[in-house]
Amino acid sequence: MTRRTAGAPFRGDCAESAAPLPAPELTEAECRRCGTYIAGLDGRYACGVCGWVNDHSEGHRRLPRADEDPDRPPRGRRRPKPGP
C-alpha cells in the first residue's frame, strides 16, 4: 500500500462520499467458529466467546472514511500529548 502525500487529491468517487451515510443496520447471525448467536452492524461480526471476527469486506455497506466521521477533530489540530 502506498501512502498519499499531504495535499495530494483523493482519487475516489467524490459523489458517493458527499451524501450522508445511512444509519447502521443491526444484523444477527451464528458464529462460524463456535455457533454462538451474535449480533453486529451491517453484517460485520465479532464473537465475544471464541474471538472470531469476519472480514470487513463481508459487510453490507462501505465503511465510512475518516473525513466522514462527525467526531473527528478539526483539521490541523492534534491530540494533546499524555502527561508524565
Side-chain angles (χ1 to χ4, degrees), residues 26-32 35-40 43 45 52 54:
L26 184 63
T27 53
E28 301 166 341
E30 285 188 11
C31 173
R32 294 181 195 162
T36 303
Y37 187 73
I38 54 178
Y45 305 103
W52 172 81
N54 71 334

Side-chain angles (χ1 to χ4, degrees), residues 1-72:
M1 182 164 107
T2 59
R3 290 187 173 200
R4 235 179 353 123
T5 59
F10 176 71
R11 286 180 259 165
D13 187 3
C14 295
E16 179 182 322
S17 65
L21 294 174
E25 176 186 350
L26 184 63
T27 53
E28 301 166 341
E30 285 188 11
C31 173
R32 294 181 195 162
R33 185 184 295 164
C34 69
T36 303
Y37 187 73
I38 54 178
L41 294 176
D42 292 331
R44 294 179 178 90
Y45 305 103
C47 179
V49 176
C50 69
W52 172 81
V53 178
N54 71 334
D55 190 63
H56 68 87
S57 64
E58 295 178 33
H60 302 156
R61 300 180 193 163
R62 71 175 182 84
L63 291 171
R65 295 191 335 243
D67 60 349
E68 295 170 334
D69 183 2
D71 298 326
R72 184 179 182 190

